[in-house]
Amino acid sequence: MENDEHIKWMKEAMKMAEEALAAGEVPVGCVFVRDERVIAGARNRTNELRNATRHAELEAIDFILANEELTPEPSKYPLSTTSLYVTVEPCIMCASALRQMGIKQVFYGCGNDRFGGCGSVLGVNKGVEHPVHPSYQATGGFCREEAILILRRFYITENTNAPVPRSKANRVLKTEIDPLTADEAS
């Protein structure tokens, strides 16, 4: 698959991240692609639902599993023919769920230095052996700059949903982005 195709799907995920930003959520968005079409898209809803597990990936997985056209019968690996495009590297929780669902592959925008489950913190996708669930390839760097900038746009705003909101009145949006490292690209 050409990079243009990956960029096309990542742009769709970025639209979901913009929706999250507009809703006051950490701006992470994703789309699941099967047979060259988006079968599900979602954004973070943790603040809206007051549930820390409502990450974009899990929101979309719930939709896929509940839809009889997308998952006509129970299967051990219902995502085995599906690719995920997500703006930020899946966290450890989501990376594990994706492995348990048998995701074919994952493409993401920027790494997740604090919670990354596809190598930034822990390689749940393939770096950790599992006796049952197959590993999957995760590749970062697609629309990386856009993914970083939307996160920065969120983090310079006042987060009224934070347990102890911090004043951010003096913060300035940093637009310079460090180059992609070799570790981030794998």
Side-chain angles (χ1 to χ4, degrees):
M1 185 181 295
E2 294 294 318
N3 269 352
D4 290 348
E5 190 76 9
H6 294 308
I7 299 298
K8 173 180 131 179
W9 299 126
M10 192 60 73
K11 294 277 186 198
E12 293 300 313
M14 288 301 302
K15 289 178 187 175
M16 301 306 298
E18 288 287 350
E19 276 187 32
L21 181 65
E25 298 282 353
V26 174
V28 176
C30 71
V31 293
F32 283 77
V33 176
R34 183 186 296 159
D35 299 325
E36 299 182 33
R37 71 180 182 94
V38 173
I39 62 166
R43 62 173 177 82
N44 275 5
R45 295 180 65 205
T46 58
N47 292 333
E48 176 186 342
L49 299 175
R50 297 177 183 217
N51 182 338
T53 69
R54 297 297 66 204
H55 291 190
E57 300 94 324
L58 298 183
E59 286 285 304
I61 289 171
D62 285 352
F63 173 82
I64 294 166
L65 295 177
N67 185 309
E68 290 185 14
E69 288 182 26
L70 299 175
T71 310
E73 56 190 50
S75 163
K76 183 172 184 176
Y77 296 120
L79 300 178
S80 64
T81 60
T82 308
S83 297
L84 168 65
Y85 290 83
V86 60
T87 57
V88 177
E89 174 188 2
C91 71
I92 293 167
M93 171 183 69
C94 291
S96 178
L98 291 163
R99 188 165 182 173
Q100 292 173 55
M101 294 283 112
I103 192 77
K104 180 179 175 183
Q105 57 194 346
V106 173
F107 300 94
Y108 60 90
C110 62
N112 184 340
D113 297 357
R114 295 180 67 200
F115 308 109
C118 294
S120 290
V121 175
L122 186 64
V124 175
N125 63 313
K126 67 178 182 177
V128 175
E129 289 298 317
H130 194 282
V132 178
H133 304 302
S135 63
Y136 61 89
Q137 182 63 40
T139 308
F142 296 95
C143 298
R144 178 178 172 268
E145 292 81 11
E146 294 95 322
I148 291 170
L149 283 175
I150 195 170
L151 288 169
R152 288 180 181 171
R153 285 170 45 209
F154 174 79
Y155 284 113
I156 66 164
T157 63
E158 303 290 332
N159 182 0
T160 57
N161 296 308
V164 181
R166 291 186 230 162
S167 176
K168 298 181 182 176
N170 296 326
R171 290 206 179 171
V172 176
L173 179 63
K174 179 183 165 195
T175 58
E176 187 175 308
I177 297 173
D178 295 332
L180 182 68
T181 66
D183 288 343
E184 289 177 299
S186 60

